Every structure is written in structure tokens, then in C-alpha cells.
Amino acid sequence: MLSIALCTARTRWAAFVGSFVALALGVGLIAAMCLGLAATLDAPERLPERFARAPVVVKGNDVLRVPGSAGERTRKLAHPRPVGPEIVRRLAGLGPVTEDRSFPVRTGAGPEQLVGHPWSVAAFAPYVLAAGRAPQSDDEVVTTGWAGPGARIDTDRGPVTVVGTVTDLGFEDAVFWTDARAARLSPAVQHLVVAADPAAVREAVRADPGREGDVQVLTGRDRRHADPDPERDDEALLAANALLGTAGGITGFVSVFVVASTFAFAVERRRKEFALLRTAGATPGQVRRTVFAEALLLGVVASAAGCLLGAYGAPVLASHLVNEGLAPRWFAIGDAIWPYHAAFWTGLLVALAGVVAASWRAGRVGPAEALREAAVPTRVMTPGRWILGAGLLLAGLGALAHALLTDPSDLLHRKTYISRPMLFIVAFALLAPVLVGPLVRLIAWLPARLPGAGGMLIRENAAVGVRRTAAVAAPVLVTVALAGSLLGTTATLNGARAAETRQRTTADYVITGGAGGFDGAAVERVRAVPGTVVSVTAATAVHRREEGVALIRSEARAADPRALARTTELPLTAGRVTDLDDGSVIVTEEWERHTVGSAVEVWLGDGTRRTLRIAAVMSVGTGNNGAYVTPANAPGATVDRIDVRLAPGADAAAVRTALAEVTRQAGGRVLTTGRWLAENHPGTRRTTRTGFLLVLGIALLYTGIALANTLVMSTSDRARELAMLRLAGATRWQVLRLVAGESLLVVLVGAVAGTLVAALNLAGVRAALALLDVRSALEIPWAALGATSAACAALAALSAVAPAAVCLRRRAVESAGVRD
């Protein structure tokens, strides 16, 4: 069988080109993705940045630790604790100490994210003066190079003069004041550098058992936890890991689909060949082993080529992730070996799995029926295909119904709406031959009734050649369904979140602050504007322990309940906003305990443990409703938003002018509610959007391969049919238009079927939103569907017309087999 497979591969290599390219490309992509995953899992440990030269760093605690039945659970605190003055005095007795403060700085002349520090801590990075001198007075600063010596800059901390610059180390844009001025600008001490023995520092901290948990003592590599955003690299690696994992999974799914489709069509074209083998005495097992041997040979060669392709493609992928900001700047591909094994054996398994159904079908004909089977087209929908297609469809519908009845919010999670469409895609692809006939006749109904025979011939050719039509429509179905499901779901969810915000906000103006928010004086100036009702809120968080195991963080807002009730309409299902007080909390229905009046144990944003009464309950919605507490339960939270509602009879123009003036002094912005909603319209995260585009690009590439392979093979086999059209009087251009029209019709069939799959998935998402009491429109990405369908149509037309044009170069009587 292997020798026959080798001869077949050598003499019929053109039939295997499409499968080879699809498999090699799939293995290459899987190898590149796995190499990227290996790099994220084996990333080098990040070194300290701001305190690289500091001996010991004492940091205010920013981690909440809660014991549970399954061990200790930790979460980052929303408001880390500062280093208290008692600890500063105690550690000062061990050796020299340097107090560090970090605070946001706003200026129209510099980078968006500026941070201020005292000059004394610059030496621990170490920052080195590149020009000028150190600051000596309150209005003098040193920058990291974004403004040069002599520059006069207006900041929200007052006007300053740049007297020096330091070498930019790349991890922050900073402004350094004198130590005295920084202490007045930000009194809290966030870090304390101690020039003493680490053991002595730890002993001094442990000397006060009641305050030991308030600080962390960092030495060695642990000093990186005192850097700005110490988790940014870990978060970037986690996002890159999710992106690569999703893209790799989709690649595997699409490659199996395409390879199986191309193998099945190639086997169908060789029915006469297999029929002759059976007549010559070949057993069904021998025929199947021949097909398997061909797949094995193809899988080994294509997988090896794919691994080589992945080795060259992985560094390009890593560079793209870094350039797009989706991975840390030091991210690079390592020397892991397992990705090549994973890609190679996956490719070989895909090749063998893709040929299972085709080989079984090839060996089913009996010796006495071989020639008749070769001459007469067999039915496409076998019992196995019916069972598998219908089973997957019912499984998809059942899983969707179960989710809607038990946990509708699960359908809104990214992992769910990425994986769930696969069931429907495979089901519709298996049932495609059943859909082809009705869709072809429906779409071609009007063209078939136009003058001339072209429309009728296109319809009948597509309807009769069910297997060919289904083989071409299937990859189009996959691509269009993925585009519609993924992009449509994210657009629908973004629209739902925007609708929630719009329904909730009843204020006339929204005032937003910069990174540092608003201080108490700024808030009082806004409240003093006549003719207004003001609601001040601050971002915070509360943590809860559920089932004695999980420690769950909920984003929260701190607000005065009476003012909040006047400017915001919360989606309450029980209780009242005005019942909120310093001893209570407003929660959502997703909390384990969500009955009004019951007590719930929580940990506040700074880690303080409290038992609060539930004052009101909100619906779950899209999952962003969070929780509400009073300012007393949000220690350390900074006001970042002020909602303003006009009082009855107030002069809107005068109020707007007064608000603009007081907001300008505080470095904030006053926006109408409509403008604020437009600027804060929810969007898809960059990593998610990039991942979707990568997935859709892979699907479109595979679709092009499948279309080219199937149409080139099928059009070449129709040489006699095209010649008969020429002999019947059709011109060369009429025949080419007929071929192009038929390919476009089949693509349209696939696009319609893919749109039906996408509509089914989006209907499930919309039903989930309705059950969650979210009123929003269904967003169908018509532009993306149109662009995807147009790309498929162009590829199909080119793949069909090019081989047809080659066939038409021969004399019609020769192609038709007519002898003189």
C-alpha cells in the first residue's frame, strides 16, 4: 500500500497541493503559537527598576490575604496602605532612611502619564543627571528628558522651571521636586529606603505585632514589587498567552476542517480509480490503507515543512506582539523544543483524522458495484453524517438553552462566545448538502428567470453538483460565521454596556478628573456653584469570600446615597438607594448572599474587614454594575467623577460657565452627559480585538486555500462539460461568465449559511441580555460580513475562471472527446 501511495502522490501531486499547503500552514502557525506560549511560560524574572540600587525597601501593604478552607487567598488592594510615621521613626534608628512619594502630575506640555517623586530617591534607580543640576527650590524640577533645562511649565501642582534632566530609563515619565516640596504635595509615604541590615529591618517591623501586616520588607528581586505597576509584565504575558492560545485553538479547528474537506473532495474525484482497484481485486481494507498511507506521507512531509515555517515565523510574531504593545518590550522566543513536537504530531494527527471519513467511504463499494458506483453520483448525506450533524446541532441548541435557563451571564464571557459557535459551525457544515439545494434555488430564483439560459444553467449546475457546491460553500461558511459571531457578539455587548450606562446616568453634566482625581477643595468649589445638584463618587473595591473558598473582588463606587439617587438611576431589583449608609452596601444578584437586610462580611479597598448590611440589590446586567458604599467605607479612595444635575429653574448657560471655571482650576473636564457617554462608549480590549483579527485572518487564509484547491480540481474535471457548451454555441466569454457566476452563487450560499450561524449565536447573546434585564439592540457586523464575503467571492471567481480559461484553450472537439 505504501508503494501505491508513493506512486499516487508522484503522479497525482496536483490533487494534494491544497491539502499540503493547508496542513503545512496550520502546523507552521501552531508551531509559532506554541513557541510564543513557551516564551510566555518561561519568561525571565523581572528585575527591580526604580529601586535597583536600594539596599532594603519598606513598602505599604498592597495585598489582601484571607484564609479559607482551601488555603490562603490573595488579591491586590485598591488602596494600598502608606508607611506609617511610627514605622518611619523606628526604622530611622537602624540607619539612614529615604522617604519616597509618588503622585500623578498633569500638564499640557508633557506626556499624559506623568508621575512626581522627591529628588532623593532618583539615585536608587539609578537616575543620572544628563544636563543641568538638581532642584533646590520649590518651583524647580528635574525631568526624565521630556522637557529640557530652562523650560517653564504649568502643572496642576503649580508652575515650575526645569533645571535639569536625567537619563530616561524607559519605565516612567517622571518629575522630581525637592524632598520638602514633594512631602507637601503628597504627605503619605509609600516607600521607605533603609540603609540597614535586612534582618534587623524585619525584626523592627515584627516588634509591633499589631502593625506588622501594614508593611512589606523587600530585598533582592522582590524590590520590583515597589516599581510602578509591578504586575504590568505579568498581565501583558497573561494577555499574550490567552491571545496565542485562542489563535492556536482556532488554527487547529480550521485546519482540521479544511484538510478533512479537501481530502473528502479529492477522494470523491477518485471514485473511478478506487472502483477499478476494487474490480481488480483490492479489498476494502487495502483501499482504506492506501488512502491512509497517502495521508501519512502527506502529514509527515507537510508537518516537517510546517515546523520549519514556524521556526522562522515565531520571531516575527514575537516582534509584532512587542511593537503592538501586547507583550513586554523584552519578550522574545526561547529555545523550547516541545512546541515543535506538539506542532508536528498535531499536524500528523490532523492529516490522519481528516482522512478517516474519506477512507471509509472509499472502501465501501463492492466489486460488483464498482463501475456503476464510479459512473453514478452517490448520495452525499450518509447516515453517519446525518447523525453527527444533527447531534452537534442539538447539542449546541441544548447547551444554549441550558445556559439561558441556568446562568445567562455565562454567555457573555469571552471564552464562551469564542468556543460556542464552533458547535454550530461544524453542525451546519455537516448538514450543508441539505441546505445547498434550497438555498441555491432561493438565491438563484430571480436570475434563473431572466432572459437567456445563463441564470438557469448556473442554478442547475450548482443544485445538481451538491458535493462540489457543499465543498466550496463550507469554508466560506466557517469564515463568515466566525466573523459574524465574534465581531457581532463584541459589538452587541459593547452596545449593551453603553445602554446600561446611558439608562443609569440622569445627570446633565459629568466632570472627570485626571490621574490624581479631585481634592476636597475642588469638590467644595463645584458644590458651591448655584443651581446644581452634585453627586461626588470615587472608585474603590470590596472583596468577599464565597463558599468559604473563593475570594472575589468587586469594583465599587463610593458615594453619598441621597446625592446619588438624584443623579443616577441604579438597576435595583430590591431595596432603595437612600437606604445606603455607613453600615451597609449595595450589591448585585451575583453575590452569594443578596437578600436585603442580611449581613455580609467584606474586606474594603484598603483591606479593612467589615460586616455590612445589604441595603439594596442590583441586577447582574452585563457584569459591570459592581457595588456601592459610602465614603466612610472607602478609605484612601480619591474622587474621580462628579455628576451634576441642574436644579429646577437654573440657568444652564451660567451653570456651564461656572462649572468650566472651577473645573479648569482643578485640572478636570466638564462634559455634557451625551458627550461623556460618547467619549466613554465601551470598546473591545486591544488584545481581544487583535486576537479576533488574527483568528479571522487565519480563517480567511484557509478559506482561500480551500476554495482554490476545490475549484481548481473541480473546474479541471469539467473540461468535457465546458467543451460541450462551446460545441452547443456558447462563446468563450459566455462560458467563463457561467463559471464565474456559478462560483459566486456557491460563495453566496456559504455566506448565507454562515450568516445564519452567526445570527443563531447572536440571538442567544441577545436572549441572555434580555434575561439579565439589559435593553439593547442586536448588533450585526454587516460591514465585516460584506467584506469577508467579497474577499471569498474574489478568491472563488479567480480560482474557478483561471483553470476554466486554460481548459478552453484546447479545441472543443478534443476536450469533448469527439473524433473526426
Side-chain angles (χ1 to χ4, degrees):
M1 292 300 104
L2 184 59
S3 61
I4 295 176
L6 288 170
C7 293
T8 303
R10 185 172 63 252
T11 57
R12 301 179 64 92
W13 61 269
F16 297 99
V17 169
S19 298
F20 175 85
V21 173
L23 191 57
L25 180 62
V27 171
L29 288 171
I30 291 174
M33 302 298 174
C34 288
L35 285 167
L37 286 173
T40 63
L41 297 174
D42 191 27
E45 189 174 358
R46 178 179 164 184
L47 297 176
E49 293 175 332
R50 278 199 66 216
F51 297 98
R53 298 289 179 87
V56 181
V57 178
V58 177
K59 178 179 185 289
N61 186 35
D62 62 351
V63 178
L64 172 64
R65 302 180 186 276
V66 176
S69 59
E72 187 178 68
R73 294 291 183 265
T74 62
R75 287 289 185 273
K76 296 291 289 186
L77 290 173
H79 313 298
R81 297 170 182 171
V83 179
E86 294 182 7
I87 294 179
V88 173
R89 285 193 297 269
R90 188 184 311 153
L91 296 179
L94 301 178
V97 297
T98 304
E99 297 179 358
D100 174 56
R101 297 167 171 85
S102 297
F103 47 91
V105 180
R106 292 191 296 269
T107 174
E112 292 184 5
Q113 294 184 345
L114 274 175
V115 60
H117 300 300
W119 171 247
S120 61
V121 300
F124 298 113
Y127 282 112
V128 179
L129 275 172
R133 59 175 175 81
Q136 297 175 354
S137 61
D138 288 351
D139 63 345
E140 293 181 345
V141 297
V142 171
T143 71
T144 51
W146 54 270
R152 187 70 176 171
I153 301 173
D154 290 327
T155 74
D156 61 329
R157 310 288 178 169
V160 295
T161 300
V162 179
V163 296
T165 60
V166 293
T167 304
D168 185 9
L169 299 181
F171 58 84
E172 66 177 353
D173 294 307
V175 186
F176 295 93
W177 269 272
T178 63
D179 289 12
R181 177 58 175 163
R184 290 195 295 272
L185 293 175
S186 179
V189 177
Q190 285 135 355
H191 308 99
L192 190 69
V193 179
V194 185
D197 179 64
V201 174
R202 290 190 174 92
E203 185 63 30
V205 170
R206 284 195 294 265
D208 187 355
R211 308 290 296 178
E212 181 183 355
D214 290 348
V215 297
Q216 304 174 52
V217 179
L218 308 175
T219 59
R221 291 181 180 269
D222 288 341
R223 291 169 298 172
R224 71 181 182 88
H225 293 296
D227 289 335
D229 195 9
E231 306 300 329
R232 70 177 187 274
D233 287 355
D234 292 339
E235 292 172 357
L237 288 176
L238 183 62
N241 186 285
L243 186 153
L244 295 172
T246 300
I250 296 294
T251 298
F253 167 77
V254 178
S255 62
V256 170
F257 190 91
V258 171
V259 170
S261 177
T262 52
F263 260 119
F265 190 73
V267 168
E268 173 64 19
R269 291 177 66 243
R270 297 168 60 192
R271 282 172 53 244
K272 185 174 182 179
E273 175 186 332
F274 294 136
L276 291 173
L277 286 174
R278 293 288 288 118
T279 304
T283 65
Q286 288 176 319
V287 173
R288 294 188 186 106
R289 287 195 294 273
T290 299
V291 177
F292 260 102
E294 293 171 356
L296 178 64
L297 180 63
L298 176 71
V300 170
V301 178
S303 296
C307 287
L308 184 62
L309 184 64
Y312 285 98
V316 177
L317 175 64
S319 177
H320 177 73
L321 293 176
V322 172
N323 293 336
E324 292 295 320
L326 302 175
R329 60 181 182 275
W330 47 261
F331 182 73
I333 301 299
D335 55 359
I337 300 299
W338 69 262
Y340 296 106
H341 283 283
F344 180 87
W345 296 111
T346 298
L348 190 58
L349 181 63
V350 165
L352 297 178
V355 81
V356 169
S359 65
W360 178 260
R361 185 172 181 81
R364 285 187 61 190
V365 294
E369 302 176 354
L371 294 177
R372 181 175 64 83
E373 286 287 334
V376 180
T378 58
R379 61 179 181 177
V380 180
M381 290 301 298
T382 61
R385 189 163 186 165
W386 271 111
I387 293 173
L388 188 58
L392 288 174
L393 181 60
L394 290 176
L397 292 173
L400 179 61
H402 180 266
L404 291 174
L405 293 174
T406 58
D407 185 12
S409 62
D410 181 61
L411 295 175
L412 310 185
H413 298 162
R414 187 168 65 92
K415 289 183 179 180
T416 302
Y417 66 71
I418 287 178
S419 60
R420 192 176 296 277
M422 305 308 169
L423 283 175
F424 292 123
I425 288 174
V426 176
F428 271 66
L430 289 171
L431 299 175
V434 180
L435 302 174
V436 161
L439 286 177
V440 165
R441 298 191 182 282
L442 176 64
I443 296 171
W445 179 80
L446 180 59
R449 280 161 174 72
L450 296 177
M456 182 268 294
L457 286 175
I458 290 174
R459 182 191 65 185
E460 295 305 319
N461 283 337
V464 172
V466 174
R467 187 177 294 278
R468 180 180 68 246
T469 302
V472 175
V476 178
L477 183 155
V478 173
T479 305
V480 172
L482 282 175
S485 298
L486 299 182
L487 300 181
T489 299
T490 53
T492 298
L493 292 181
N494 290 337
R497 295 185 182 108
E500 279 186 314
T501 305
R502 185 167 50 252
Q503 294 163 9
R504 184 182 306 177
T505 306
T506 59
D508 297 300
Y509 299 101
V510 177
I511 302 175
T512 59
F518 299 103
D519 56 21
V523 171
E524 291 306 317
R525 286 196 297 269
V526 173
R527 289 181 193 222
V529 174
T532 61
V533 176
V534 176
S535 174
V536 176
T537 62
T540 185
V542 293
H543 304 81
R544 66 187 188 277
R545 183 171 53 190
E546 294 197 351
E547 299 179 355
V549 177
L551 181 62
I552 300 175
R553 171 177 170 140
S554 294
E555 301 301 323
R557 305 289 300 179
D560 174 77
R562 290 171 180 77
L564 181 67
R566 297 191 189 104
T567 60
T568 304
E569 185 176 342
L570 297 183
L572 297 182
T573 60
R576 296 179 303 177
V577 174
T578 52
D579 290 340
L580 179 67
D581 55 29
D582 292 346
S584 62
V585 60
I586 296 177
V587 305
T588 65
E589 291 178 323
E590 65 183 343
W591 285 45
E592 181 182 19
R593 181 172 296 180
H594 54 268
T595 304
V596 172
S598 61
V600 59
E601 184 180 52
V602 299
W603 286 262
L604 304 179
D606 68 339
T608 302
R609 186 174 181 175
R610 290 288 307 275
T611 298
L612 300 176
R613 174 182 51 83
I614 296 178
V617 180
M618 297 181 290
S619 62
V620 175
T622 59
N624 294 329
N625 287 337
Y628 283 85
V629 295
T630 60
N633 289 317
T638 303
V639 173
D640 59 355
R641 173 176 162 183
I642 304 175
D643 289 13
V644 180
R645 188 170 185 175
L646 294 174
D651 186 342
V655 169
R656 176 63 185 269
T657 302
L659 289 176
E661 177 60 25
V662 297
T663 302
R664 183 187 61 79
Q665 297 174 11
R669 301 173 62 206
V670 56
L671 304 170
T672 62
T673 301
R675 176 72 179 276
W676 179 79
L677 290 171
E679 289 191 3
N680 290 273
H681 190 283
T684 305
R685 290 193 304 174
R686 191 178 183 184
T687 53
T688 302
R689 184 174 62 253
T690 302
F692 285 172
L693 293 177
L694 181 60
V695 166
L696 295 178
I698 292 171
L700 188 58
L701 183 61
Y702 269 112
T703 296
I705 295 172
L707 289 176
N709 186 59
T710 304
L711 287 171
V712 167
M713 289 192 297
S714 63
T715 305
S716 300
D717 288 345
R718 298 173 63 189
R720 188 171 186 276
E721 175 187 338
L722 301 180
M724 295 298 293
L725 288 173
R726 290 294 310 280
L727 292 175
T731 66
R732 185 169 182 267
W733 291 110
Q734 285 176 325
V735 174
L736 291 179
R737 286 199 299 269
L738 178 68
V739 171
E742 186 178 336
S743 66
L744 293 177
L745 173 61
V746 175
V747 168
L748 189 56
V749 169
V752 171
T755 303
L756 291 176
V757 175
L760 183 58
N761 281 293
L762 293 177
V765 173
R766 183 63 188 84
L769 291 173
L771 291 174
L772 294 171
D773 297 322
V774 179
R775 300 185 295 274
S776 66
L778 187 65
E779 299 286 344
I780 300 178
W782 293 114
L785 293 177
T788 304
S789 301
C792 293
L795 290 169
L798 180 62
S799 300
V801 170
V806 174
C807 293
L808 292 176
R809 288 181 179 178
R810 300 175 58 189
R811 294 178 58 197
V813 291
E814 295 177 356
S815 299
V818 179
R819 296 183 181 273
D820 294 337

